[in-house]
Coordinates of all heavy atoms in Angstrom, one line a residue:
M1 N 107.1 83.4 65.8 CA 108.1 83.9 66.8 C 107.7 85.2 67.3 O 107.5 86.2 66.6 CB 109.5 83.9 66.2 CG 110.2 82.6 66.3 SD 110.7 82.2 68.1 CE 112.2 83.2 68.2
S2 N 107.6 85.3 68.6 CA 107.3 86.6 69.2 C 108.6 87.4 69.5 O 109.7 86.8 69.6 CB 106.5 86.5 70.5 OG 107.2 85.7 71.4
E3 N 108.5 88.6 69.8 CA 109.6 89.5 70.1 C 110.2 89.1 71.5 O 109.4 88.8 72.4 CB 109.2 90.9 70.1 CG 109.6 91.7 68.8 CD 109.3 93.2 69.0 OE1 108.1 93.6 68.8 OE2 110.2 93.9 69.4
I4 N 111.5 89.2 71.7 CA 112.1 89.0 72.9 C 112.5 90.3 73.6 O 113.1 91.2 73.0 CB 113.4 88.1 72.7 CG1 113.0 86.7 72.0 CG2 114.1 87.8 74.1 CD1 112.2 85.8 72.9
C5 N 112.3 90.4 74.9 CA 112.7 91.6 75.6 C 114.2 91.5 75.8 O 114.7 90.5 76.3 CB 112.0 91.6 77.0 SG 112.6 92.9 78.1
I6 N 114.8 92.6 75.5 CA 116.3 92.7 75.7 C 116.7 92.7 77.1 O 117.9 92.4 77.5 CB 117.0 93.8 74.9 CG1 116.3 95.1 75.2 CG2 117.0 93.5 73.4 CD1 117.1 96.3 74.7
K7 N 115.8 93.1 78.0 CA 116.2 93.3 79.4 C 116.1 91.9 80.2 O 117.1 91.6 80.9 CB 115.2 94.2 80.2 CG 115.7 95.6 80.2 CD 114.9 96.5 81.2 CE 115.3 97.9 81.2 NZ 114.4 98.7 82.0
C8 N 115.0 91.2 80.0 CA 114.9 90.0 80.8 C 115.0 88.7 79.9 O 115.0 87.6 80.5 CB 113.5 90.0 81.5 SG 112.1 90.1 80.5
G9 N 115.0 88.9 78.6 CA 115.1 87.7 77.7 C 113.8 86.9 77.5 O 113.8 85.9 76.9
L10 N 112.7 87.3 78.1 CA 111.4 86.6 78.0 C 110.7 87.2 76.7 O 110.9 88.3 76.3 CB 110.6 86.8 79.2 CG 111.0 86.1 80.5 CD1 110.2 86.6 81.6 CD2 110.8 84.6 80.3
P11 N 109.8 86.4 76.2 CA 109.0 86.9 75.1 C 108.2 88.1 75.6 O 107.8 88.1 76.8 CB 108.0 85.8 74.8 CG 108.7 84.5 75.3 CD 109.5 85.0 76.5
K12 N 107.9 89.1 74.7 CA 107.3 90.3 75.2 C 106.0 90.1 75.9 O 105.7 90.9 76.9 CB 107.0 91.2 73.9 CG 108.2 92.0 73.5 CD 108.4 93.3 74.2 CE 109.8 93.9 74.1 NZ 110.1 94.6 72.9
E13 N 105.2 89.0 75.6 CA 103.9 88.9 76.3 C 104.1 88.3 77.7 O 103.2 88.4 78.5 CB 103.0 88.0 75.5 CG 103.4 86.6 75.2 CD 104.1 86.4 73.9 OE1 104.7 87.4 73.4 OE2 104.0 85.3 73.3
L14 N 105.3 87.8 78.0 CA 105.5 87.4 79.4 C 106.3 88.4 80.2 O 106.5 88.3 81.4 CB 106.3 86.0 79.4 CG 105.5 84.8 78.8 CD1 106.5 83.6 78.8 CD2 104.3 84.5 79.6
C15 N 106.9 89.3 79.5 CA 107.8 90.3 80.1 C 107.1 91.2 81.1 O 106.0 91.7 80.8 CB 108.5 91.1 79.0 SG 109.3 92.6 79.6
M16 N 107.7 91.4 82.3 CA 107.1 92.3 83.3 C 107.9 93.6 83.4 O 107.6 94.4 84.3 CB 107.1 91.6 84.6 CG 106.2 90.3 84.7 SD 104.4 90.8 84.6 CE 104.2 91.5 86.2
C17 N 108.9 93.8 82.6 CA 109.9 94.9 82.8 C 109.1 96.2 82.9 O 109.4 97.1 83.7 CB 110.9 94.9 81.7 SG 112.0 93.5 81.8
E18 N 108.2 96.4 82.0 CA 107.6 97.7 81.9 C 106.7 98.0 83.1 O 106.8 99.1 83.7 CB 106.7 97.8 80.6 CG 106.4 99.3 80.2 CD 105.7 99.3 78.9 OE1 106.1 98.7 77.9 OE2 104.7 100.0 78.9
S19 N 106.0 97.0 83.6 CA 105.2 97.3 84.8 C 106.0 97.4 86.0 O 105.7 98.2 86.9 CB 104.1 96.2 84.9 OG 104.7 94.9 84.9
I20 N 107.1 96.7 86.0 CA 108.1 96.9 87.2 C 108.6 98.3 87.2 O 108.7 99.0 88.2 CB 109.2 95.9 87.2 CG1 108.6 94.5 87.5 CG2 110.3 96.2 88.1 CD1 109.5 93.3 87.2
A21 N 109.0 98.8 86.0 CA 109.5 100.2 85.9 C 108.5 101.2 86.3 O 108.8 102.2 87.0 CB 110.0 100.4 84.4
K22 N 107.2 101.0 85.9 CA 106.2 101.9 86.3 C 106.0 101.9 87.8 O 105.8 102.9 88.5 CB 104.9 101.5 85.7 CG 104.7 102.2 84.3 CD 103.3 101.8 83.8 CE 103.3 102.1 82.3 NZ 102.2 101.3 81.6
E23 N 106.0 100.7 88.5 CA 105.9 100.6 89.9 C 107.0 101.3 90.6 O 106.8 102.0 91.6 CB 105.9 99.2 90.4 CG 104.5 98.6 90.3 CD 104.5 97.1 90.5 OE1 105.4 96.6 91.3 OE2 103.7 96.4 89.8
S24 N 108.2 101.2 90.1 CA 109.4 101.8 90.7 C 109.3 103.3 90.6 O 110.0 104.1 91.3 CB 110.7 101.3 90.2 OG 110.9 101.8 88.9
Q25 N 108.5 103.8 89.7 CA 108.4 105.2 89.5 C 107.3 105.8 90.3 O 106.8 106.9 90.2 CB 108.0 105.4 88.0 CG 108.3 106.8 87.4 CD 109.8 107.1 87.4 OE1 110.1 108.3 87.7 NE2 110.7 106.2 87.3
Q26 N 106.9 105.0 91.3 CA 105.8 105.4 92.2 C 106.4 106.5 93.2 O 107.2 106.3 94.0 CB 105.4 104.2 93.1 CG 104.0 104.4 93.8 CD 102.9 104.5 92.8 OE1 102.4 105.6 92.6 NE2 102.4 103.4 92.2
I27 N 105.9 107.7 93.0 CA 106.4 108.9 93.7 C 105.5 109.1 95.0 O 104.3 109.1 94.8 CB 106.5 110.1 92.9 CG1 107.5 109.9 91.7 CG2 106.9 111.3 93.7 CD1 107.3 110.9 90.6
I28 N 106.2 109.2 96.1 CA 105.4 109.5 97.3 C 105.8 110.9 97.9 O 107.0 111.2 98.0 CB 105.6 108.4 98.4 CG1 105.0 107.1 97.9 CG2 105.1 108.8 99.7 CD1 105.5 105.9 98.6
V29 N 104.8 111.7 98.1 CA 105.1 113.0 98.7 C 104.5 113.0 100.1 O 103.4 112.6 100.4 CB 104.3 114.1 97.9 CG1 104.6 115.5 98.5 CG2 104.7 114.1 96.5
K30 N 105.4 113.3 101.1 CA 105.0 113.3 102.5 C 105.6 114.4 103.3 O 106.6 115.0 102.8 CB 105.3 111.9 103.1 CG 106.8 111.6 103.1 CD 107.1 110.2 103.7 CE 108.5 109.9 103.6 NZ 108.9 108.6 104.1
T31 N 105.1 114.7 104.4 CA 105.8 115.7 105.3 C 106.4 115.0 106.5 O 105.9 113.9 106.9 CB 104.8 116.8 105.7 OG1 103.6 116.1 106.3 CG2 104.3 117.6 104.6
E32 N 107.4 115.6 107.0 CA 108.2 115.0 108.1 C 108.6 116.2 109.0 O 109.0 117.2 108.5 CB 109.4 114.3 107.5 CG 109.6 113.0 108.2 CD 110.8 112.2 107.5 OE1 112.0 112.5 107.8 OE2 110.5 111.4 106.6
K33 N 108.4 115.9 110.3 CA 108.9 116.9 111.3 C 110.3 116.5 111.6 O 110.7 115.4 112.0 CB 108.0 116.9 112.5 CG 107.9 118.2 113.2 CD 107.0 118.1 114.4 CE 106.0 119.2 114.4 NZ 105.1 119.1 115.6
K34 N 111.2 117.5 111.5 CA 112.6 117.3 111.8 C 113.1 118.1 113.0 O 112.3 118.6 113.7 CB 113.5 117.6 110.5 CG 113.1 116.7 109.4 CD 114.4 116.4 108.6 CE 114.0 115.5 107.4 NZ 115.1 114.6 107.2
K35 N 114.4 118.2 113.1 CA 115.0 118.9 114.2 C 114.3 120.3 114.4 O 114.0 120.9 113.4 CB 116.5 119.1 113.9 CG 117.3 118.0 114.5 CD 118.8 118.3 114.4 CE 119.3 118.0 113.0 NZ 120.7 118.3 112.8
F36 N 114.2 120.7 115.6 CA 113.6 122.0 116.0 C 112.2 122.2 115.5 O 111.7 123.3 115.3 CB 114.5 123.1 115.5 CG 116.0 122.9 115.7 CD1 116.9 122.8 114.7 CD2 116.5 122.8 117.0 CE1 118.2 122.6 114.9 CE2 117.8 122.6 117.3 CZ 118.7 122.5 116.2
G37 N 111.5 121.0 115.3 CA 110.1 121.1 114.9 C 109.8 121.6 113.5 O 108.7 122.0 113.1
K38 N 110.9 121.7 112.7 CA 110.7 122.2 111.3 C 110.0 121.1 110.4 O 110.4 119.9 110.5 CB 112.1 122.5 110.7 CG 112.6 123.9 111.0 CD 113.8 124.2 110.2 CE 114.4 125.5 110.6 NZ 115.7 125.7 110.0
I39 N 109.1 121.6 109.6 CA 108.4 120.7 108.7 C 109.1 120.6 107.4 O 109.5 121.7 106.8 CB 106.9 121.1 108.5 CG1 106.2 121.2 109.8 CG2 106.2 120.2 107.5 CD1 105.7 119.9 110.4
Y40 N 109.3 119.4 106.9 CA 109.9 119.2 105.5 C 109.0 118.4 104.7 O 108.3 117.6 105.1 CB 111.2 118.4 105.6 CG 112.4 119.3 106.0 CD1 112.6 119.7 107.4 CD2 113.4 119.6 105.1 CE1 113.7 120.4 107.7 CE2 114.5 120.4 105.4 CZ 114.6 120.8 106.8 OH 115.7 121.6 107.1
T41 N 108.9 118.8 103.4 CA 108.2 118.0 102.4 C 109.2 117.1 101.7 O 110.2 117.5 101.2 CB 107.5 118.9 101.4 OG1 106.7 119.9 102.1 CG2 106.6 118.1 100.5
I42 N 108.9 115.8 101.8 CA 109.9 114.8 101.3 C 109.2 114.2 100.0 O 108.1 113.7 100.0 CB 110.2 113.6 102.3 CG1 110.3 114.2 103.7 CG2 111.3 112.8 101.8 CD1 111.7 114.7 104.0
I43 N 110.0 114.1 98.9 CA 109.6 113.5 97.7 C 110.5 112.2 97.5 O 111.7 112.4 97.3 CB 109.7 114.4 96.5 CG1 108.9 115.7 96.8 CG2 109.1 113.7 95.3 CD1 109.3 116.8 95.9
T44 N 109.9 111.1 97.6 CA 110.7 109.9 97.4 C 110.1 109.0 96.2 O 109.0 109.2 95.8 CB 110.6 109.0 98.7 OG1 109.4 108.2 98.7 CG2 110.7 109.8 99.9
G45 N 111.0 108.1 95.8 CA 110.6 107.1 94.8 C 110.9 107.5 93.4 O 110.5 106.9 92.4
I46 N 111.6 108.7 93.2 CA 111.9 109.1 91.9 C 113.1 108.3 91.3 O 114.1 108.1 92.0 CB 112.3 110.6 91.8 CG1 111.0 111.4 92.2 CG2 112.8 111.0 90.5 CD1 111.3 112.9 92.4
D47 N 113.0 107.7 90.1 CA 114.0 106.9 89.5 C 115.1 107.9 89.0 O 114.9 108.5 88.0 CB 113.4 106.1 88.4 CG 114.5 105.1 87.9 OD1 115.7 105.3 88.1 OD2 114.1 104.2 87.2
Q48 N 116.3 107.8 89.7 CA 117.3 108.8 89.3 C 118.0 108.4 88.0 O 118.7 109.3 87.4 CB 118.4 108.8 90.4 CG 117.9 109.4 91.7 CD 119.0 109.4 92.7 OE1 119.9 110.3 92.7 NE2 119.1 108.4 93.6
K49 N 117.8 107.2 87.5 CA 118.3 106.8 86.2 C 117.6 107.6 85.1 O 118.1 107.8 84.0 CB 118.3 105.3 86.0 CG 119.4 104.6 86.7 CD 119.3 103.1 86.4 CE 119.1 102.3 87.6 NZ 117.8 101.8 87.9
E50 N 116.3 107.8 85.4 CA 115.5 108.4 84.3 C 115.3 109.9 84.5 O 115.0 110.7 83.6 CB 114.1 107.8 84.3 CG 114.2 106.4 83.7 CD 112.8 105.7 83.7 OE1 111.8 106.3 83.3 OE2 112.8 104.5 84.1
I51 N 115.4 110.4 85.8 CA 115.1 111.8 86.1 C 116.3 112.4 86.7 O 116.9 111.9 87.6 CB 113.8 111.9 86.9 CG1 112.6 111.5 86.1 CG2 113.7 113.3 87.5 CD1 111.7 110.5 86.7
N52 N 116.6 113.6 86.3 CA 117.7 114.4 86.9 C 117.1 115.0 88.2 O 116.5 116.1 88.2 CB 118.2 115.5 85.9 CG 119.4 116.2 86.4 OD1 119.7 116.2 87.7 ND2 120.1 116.8 85.5
I53 N 117.4 114.4 89.3 CA 116.8 114.7 90.6 C 117.3 116.1 91.1 O 116.6 116.9 91.7 CB 117.0 113.6 91.6 CG1 116.0 113.6 92.7 CG2 118.4 113.5 92.0 CD1 115.9 112.4 93.5
K54 N 118.6 116.3 90.8 CA 119.2 117.6 91.2 C 118.5 118.8 90.5 O 118.2 119.8 91.1 CB 120.7 117.6 90.9 CG 121.5 116.6 91.8 CD 122.7 117.3 92.4 CE 123.3 116.4 93.5 NZ 124.3 115.5 93.0
E55 N 118.3 118.6 89.2 CA 117.7 119.6 88.4 C 116.2 119.9 88.9 O 115.8 121.0 89.0 CB 117.7 119.1 86.9 CG 117.4 120.2 85.9 CD 118.4 121.3 85.9 OE1 119.6 121.0 86.0 OE2 117.9 122.5 85.8
L56 N 115.6 118.8 89.2 CA 114.2 118.8 89.7 C 114.1 119.6 91.0 O 113.3 120.4 91.3 CB 113.6 117.4 89.8 CG 112.1 117.3 90.2 CD1 111.2 118.0 89.1 CD2 111.7 115.9 90.4
S57 N 115.1 119.3 91.9 CA 115.1 119.9 93.2 C 115.4 121.4 93.1 O 114.8 122.2 93.8 CB 116.0 119.2 94.2 OG 117.3 119.8 94.1
K58 N 116.2 121.8 92.1 CA 116.5 123.2 91.8 C 115.2 123.9 91.4 O 114.9 125.0 91.9 CB 117.5 123.3 90.7 CG 118.7 124.2 91.0 CD 119.6 124.4 89.8 CE 120.8 123.5 89.9 NZ 121.7 123.5 88.7
K59 N 114.4 123.3 90.5 CA 113.2 123.9 90.1 C 112.2 124.0 91.2 O 111.5 125.0 91.4 CB 112.6 123.0 89.0 CG 113.2 123.2 87.6 CD 112.5 122.3 86.6 CE 113.3 122.2 85.3 NZ 112.9 121.0 84.5
L60 N 112.1 123.0 92.1 CA 111.2 123.0 93.2 C 111.6 124.1 94.2 O 110.7 124.8 94.7 CB 111.2 121.6 93.9 CG 110.5 120.5 93.3 CD1 110.9 119.2 93.8 CD2 109.0 120.7 93.5
K61 N 112.9 124.2 94.4 CA 113.3 125.3 95.4 C 113.0 126.7 94.9 O 112.5 127.5 95.7 CB 114.8 125.2 95.6 CG 115.2 124.1 96.6 CD 116.6 124.1 97.0 CE 117.5 123.3 96.1 NZ 118.9 123.3 96.6
S62 N 113.1 126.9 93.6 CA 112.8 128.3 93.1 C 111.3 128.5 93.0 O 110.8 129.5 93.3 CB 113.5 128.6 91.8 OG 113.0 127.8 90.8
K63 N 110.6 127.4 92.6 CA 109.1 127.5 92.6 C 108.5 127.8 93.9 O 107.6 128.6 94.1 CB 108.6 126.2 92.0 CG 107.1 125.9 92.1 CD 106.3 126.6 91.0 CE 104.8 126.4 91.2 NZ 104.1 127.2 90.3
F64 N 109.0 127.1 94.9 CA 108.4 127.2 96.3 C 109.2 128.2 97.2 O 108.9 128.3 98.3 CB 108.2 125.9 96.9 CG 107.2 125.0 96.2 CD1 107.6 124.0 95.4 CD2 105.8 125.3 96.3 CE1 106.7 123.2 94.7 CE2 104.9 124.5 95.6 CZ 105.4 123.5 94.8
A65 N 110.2 128.8 96.6 CA 111.1 129.7 97.3 C 111.5 129.2 98.7 O 111.3 129.9 99.7 CB 110.4 131.1 97.4
S66 N 112.0 128.0 98.7 CA 112.4 127.5 100.0 C 113.7 126.7 99.8 O 114.1 126.3 98.7 CB 111.3 126.6 100.5 OG 111.1 125.4 99.7
G67 N 114.3 126.4 100.9 CA 115.6 125.7 100.9 C 115.3 124.2 100.7 O 114.1 123.8 101.0
G68 N 116.3 123.5 100.3 CA 116.1 122.0 100.2 C 117.3 121.3 99.8 O 118.3 121.9 99.5
T69 N 117.3 120.0 100.0 CA 118.5 119.2 99.6 C 118.0 117.9 98.9 O 116.8 117.5 99.0 CB 119.3 118.8 100.9 OG1 118.4 118.2 101.8 CG2 120.0 119.9 101.5
V70 N 119.0 117.2 98.3 CA 118.8 115.9 97.8 C 119.5 115.0 98.7 O 120.7 115.1 98.9 CB 119.3 115.8 96.3 CG1 119.1 114.3 95.9 CG2 118.5 116.7 95.4
K71 N 118.8 114.0 99.3 CA 119.4 113.1 100.2 C 119.0 111.7 99.9 O 117.8 111.4 99.9 CB 119.0 113.5 101.7 CG 120.1 113.2 102.7 CD 119.6 113.4 104.1 CE 119.9 114.8 104.6 NZ 119.3 115.0 105.9
E72 N 120.0 110.8 99.6 CA 119.7 109.4 99.3 C 118.6 109.2 98.3 O 117.7 108.4 98.4 CB 119.3 108.7 100.6 CG 120.5 108.5 101.5 CD 120.1 108.3 103.0 OE1 118.9 108.0 103.2 OE2 120.9 108.5 103.9
G73 N 118.6 110.1 97.3 CA 117.7 110.0 96.2 C 116.3 110.6 96.5 O 115.4 110.5 95.7
N74 N 116.2 111.2 97.7 CA 114.9 111.9 98.0 C 115.2 113.4 97.9 O 116.2 113.9 98.2 CB 114.5 111.5 99.4 CG 114.3 110.0 99.6 OD1 114.0 109.3 98.7 ND2 114.4 109.6 100.8
I75 N 114.1 114.1 97.6 CA 114.2 115.5 97.6 C 113.5 116.0 98.9 O 112.4 115.6 99.3 CB 113.5 116.2 96.4 CG1 114.2 115.8 95.1 CG2 113.5 117.7 96.5 CD1 113.4 116.2 93.9
E76 N 114.2 116.8 99.7 CA 113.7 117.3 100.9 C 113.6 118.8 100.8 O 114.6 119.5 100.6 CB 114.6 117.0 102.1 CG 114.8 115.5 102.3 CD 115.6 115.1 103.5 OE1 116.0 116.0 104.2 OE2 115.6 113.9 103.8
L77 N 112.4 119.3 100.9 CA 112.1 120.8 100.8 C 111.6 121.3 102.2 O 110.8 120.7 102.8 CB 111.0 121.0 99.8 CG 111.3 121.2 98.3 CD1 110.0 121.6 97.7 CD2 112.3 122.3 98.1
Q78 N 112.1 122.4 102.5 CA 111.7 123.1 103.8 C 110.3 123.6 103.6 O 109.9 124.2 102.6 CB 112.6 124.2 104.2 CG 113.9 123.8 104.8 CD 114.9 124.9 104.9 OE1 114.5 126.1 104.9 NE2 116.2 124.6 105.0
G79 N 109.5 123.3 104.7 CA 108.1 123.8 104.7 C 107.1 122.7 104.2 O 107.6 121.7 103.6
N80 N 105.9 123.0 104.4 CA 104.8 122.0 103.9 C 104.3 122.4 102.6 O 103.5 123.4 102.5 CB 103.7 121.9 105.0 CG 102.7 120.8 104.6 OD1 102.8 120.3 103.5 ND2 101.8 120.5 105.6
H81 N 104.7 121.7 101.5 CA 104.2 122.1 100.2 C 103.4 121.0 99.5 O 103.3 120.9 98.3 CB 105.4 122.4 99.3 CG 106.3 123.5 99.9 ND1 106.0 124.8 100.0 CD2 107.6 123.4 100.4 CE1 107.0 125.4 100.6 NE2 107.9 124.6 100.8
K82 N 103.0 120.0 100.4 CA 102.4 118.8 99.9 C 101.2 119.1 98.9 O 101.1 118.4 97.9 CB 101.9 118.0 101.1 CG 101.7 116.5 100.8 CD 101.7 115.7 102.1 CE 100.5 116.0 102.9 NZ 100.4 115.0 104.0
Q83 N 100.4 120.1 99.2 CA 99.2 120.4 98.4 C 99.6 120.8 97.0 O 98.9 120.6 96.0 CB 98.4 121.6 99.0 CG 98.0 121.3 100.5 CD 97.1 120.1 100.6 OE1 96.2 119.8 99.7 NE2 97.3 119.3 101.6
H84 N 100.8 121.5 96.8 CA 101.1 122.1 95.6 C 102.1 121.3 94.8 O 102.3 121.4 93.6 CB 101.6 123.5 95.8 CG 100.7 124.3 96.5 ND1 99.5 124.8 96.0 CD2 100.7 124.8 97.8 CE1 98.8 125.5 96.9 NE2 99.5 125.5 98.0
I85 N 102.8 120.3 95.4 CA 103.9 119.6 94.7 C 103.3 118.7 93.7 O 103.9 118.5 92.6 CB 104.8 118.9 95.8 CG1 105.8 119.9 96.2 CG2 105.4 117.6 95.2 CD1 106.8 119.4 97.2
K86 N 102.2 118.1 94.0 CA 101.6 117.1 93.0 C 101.3 117.9 91.7 O 101.7 117.4 90.6 CB 100.4 116.5 93.5 CG 99.8 115.4 92.6 CD 98.7 114.6 93.2 CE 98.2 113.6 92.1 NZ 97.2 112.7 92.7
E87 N 100.7 119.0 91.8 CA 100.4 119.9 90.6 C 101.7 120.2 89.9 O 101.8 120.1 88.7 CB 99.8 121.2 91.1 CG 98.4 121.4 90.9 CD 98.0 122.7 91.6 OE1 98.3 123.8 91.1 OE2 97.3 122.6 92.7
F88 N 102.7 120.6 90.6 CA 104.0 120.9 90.0 C 104.6 119.8 89.3 O 105.1 119.9 88.1 CB 105.0 121.4 91.1 CG 106.3 121.7 90.5 CD1 106.6 122.9 89.9 CD2 107.3 120.7 90.6 CE1 107.9 123.1 89.4 CE2 108.6 120.9 90.1 CZ 108.9 122.1 89.4
L89 N 104.6 118.6 89.9 CA 105.2 117.4 89.3 C 104.4 117.0 88.0 O 105.0 116.6 87.0 CB 105.2 116.2 90.3 CG 106.2 116.3 91.4 CD1 106.0 115.2 92.4 CD2 107.6 116.4 91.0
I90 N 103.1 117.2 88.0 CA 102.3 116.9 86.8 C 102.7 117.8 85.7 O 102.9 117.4 84.6 CB 100.8 117.0 87.1 CG1 100.4 115.8 88.1 CG2 100.0 116.9 85.9 CD1 99.0 115.9 88.7
S91 N 102.8 119.1 86.1 CA 103.2 120.1 85.0 C 104.7 119.8 84.6 O 105.0 120.2 83.5 CB 103.1 121.5 85.6 OG 104.1 121.8 86.5
A92 N 105.5 119.1 85.4 CA 106.8 118.8 85.0 C 106.9 117.5 84.2 O 107.9 117.1 83.8 CB 107.7 118.7 86.2
G93 N 105.7 116.9 83.9 CA 105.6 115.8 83.0 C 105.4 114.4 83.7 O 105.4 113.4 83.0
F94 N 105.2 114.4 85.0 CA 105.0 113.1 85.7 C 103.5 112.7 85.5 O 102.6 113.6 85.5 CB 105.3 113.2 87.2 CG 106.8 113.3 87.4 CD1 107.4 114.5 87.5 CD2 107.6 112.2 87.5 CE1 108.8 114.6 87.7 CE2 108.9 112.2 87.8 CZ 109.5 113.5 87.8
A95 N 103.2 111.4 85.5 CA 101.9 111.0 85.4 C 101.1 111.2 86.7 O 101.7 110.8 87.8 CB 101.8 109.5 85.0
P96 N 99.9 111.7 86.7 CA 99.2 112.0 87.9 C 99.0 110.7 88.8 O 99.1 110.8 90.0 CB 97.8 112.5 87.5 CG 98.1 113.0 86.1 CD 99.2 112.2 85.5
E97 N 98.8 109.6 88.1 CA 98.6 108.4 88.9 C 99.8 107.8 89.5 O 99.8 106.9 90.3 CB 97.8 107.3 88.0 CG 98.6 106.9 86.8 CD 98.3 107.7 85.6 OE1 97.8 108.9 85.7 OE2 98.6 107.3 84.4
S98 N 101.0 108.3 89.1 CA 102.2 107.8 89.7 C 102.6 108.6 91.0 O 103.6 108.3 91.6 CB 103.4 107.9 88.7 OG 103.8 109.2 88.5
I99 N 101.8 109.6 91.3 CA 102.1 110.5 92.5 C 101.1 110.2 93.6 O 99.9 110.4 93.4 CB 102.2 112.0 92.1 CG1 103.1 112.2 90.9 CG2 102.6 112.8 93.3 CD1 102.8 113.5 90.1
K100 N 101.6 109.8 94.7 CA 100.8 109.6 95.9 C 101.2 110.6 97.0 O 102.3 110.7 97.3 CB 100.9 108.2 96.5 CG 100.5 107.1 95.5 CD 99.1 106.7 95.6 CE 98.7 105.6 94.6 NZ 98.8 106.1 93.2
A101 N 100.2 111.4 97.5 CA 100.5 112.3 98.6 C 100.0 111.6 99.8 O 98.9 111.2 99.9 CB 99.8 113.6 98.3
R102 N 100.8 111.6 100.8 CA 100.5 111.0 102.1 C 100.1 112.0 103.1 O 100.8 113.0 103.2 CB 101.6 110.2 102.6 CG 101.5 108.7 102.4 CD 102.5 108.0 103.2 NE 102.9 106.8 102.5 CZ 104.1 106.2 102.7 NH1 105.0 106.8 103.4 NH2 104.4 105.1 102.1
Ligands
LIG201 ZN1 111.5 92.2 80.0

């Protein structure tokens, strides 16, 4: 008898839960031009059940000394920080391969 996954009820060797969770943790960093031509760096795809997104946005704001908000589960930071955010997220414990910069 093999172990049964408590999430989906399938035997562990058929269970896809873990790979689905990893895919949902796919973080995308992109820039967006908003009102008045202001550039924002948007971080999307963070699983709020696993990560305290408000806490993370606070850290990002002080690290990059810029304003920002959390909107619909996305972090929006003023300015273009795309080059440095990946580094920051890795140092915050995210897997490098889960972060895509667009
Ligand atoms: Zn499962």
